[in-house]
């Protein structure tokens, strides 16, 4: 079960959801070189959300988004829109890193 951030009115599952949306887009356009779909691990502290992608015992390096970015991306996710280009580029970079690690 995800954590709900009452003051911002979104859950940690929605953070994973917008990352997964970007992963699906990348899969459709570029395919993946690894088997299976990456696990999206979401952690956070007072300033940022930290994302790690995992597949087949391998992990990407952790990348972070500040709360302002996360709130904007969760809104896009709820509106059924793709993630912003800047966020997609960061996620795609880490997918490529994960592909190199598998």
């Amino acid at each position: 079960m995800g954590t709900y951030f009452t003051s911002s009115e979104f859950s940690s599952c929605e953070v994973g959801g917008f990352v997964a949306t970007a992963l699906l887009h990348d899969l459709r356009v570029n395919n993946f070189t690894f088997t299976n779909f990456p696990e999206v691990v979401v952690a956070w502290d007072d300033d940022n959300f930290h994302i790690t992608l995992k597949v087949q015992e391998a992990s990407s390096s952790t990348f972070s988004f500040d709360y302002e970015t996360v709130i904007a991306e969760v809104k896009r996710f709820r509106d059924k829109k793709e993630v912003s280009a800047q966020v997609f580029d960061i996620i795609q970079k880490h997918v490529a890193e994960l592909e190199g690690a598998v």
Side-chain angles (χ1 to χ4, degrees):
M1 184 170 164
T3 298
Y4 190 76
F5 299 91
T6 307
S7 62
S8 302
E9 299 183 338
F10 68 89
S11 74
S12 59
C13 289
E14 289 174 298
V15 177
F18 80 71
V19 174
T21 297
L23 292 171
L24 284 169
H25 177 76
D26 194 28
L27 174 63
R28 286 184 190 112
V29 173
N30 300 309
N31 211 342
F32 296 143
T33 60
F34 42 74
T35 307
N36 298 323
F37 193 82
E39 175 185 1
V40 179
V41 180
V42 179
W44 57 90
D45 58 32
D46 290 341
D47 300 314
N48 297 291
F49 280 82
H50 310 285
I51 314 296
T52 307
L53 306 176
K54 295 183 176 184
V55 70
Q56 299 171 294
E57 310 296 324
S59 299
S60 70
S61 59
T62 300
F63 54 101
S64 301
F65 297 116
D66 61 27
Y67 274 75
E68 183 179 311
T69 299
V70 166
I71 290 168
E73 294 302 326
V74 166
K75 180 176 181 344
R76 294 177 69 86
F77 177 73
R78 288 178 177 172
D79 292 342
K80 298 178 175 61
K81 296 179 179 176
E82 296 287 337
V83 298
S84 65
Q86 181 181 17
V87 167
F88 179 78
D89 288 347
I90 293 167
I91 295 169
Q92 188 179 43
K93 173 186 165 209
H94 287 83
V95 168
E97 177 188 334
L98 184 59
E99 287 176 322
V102 173

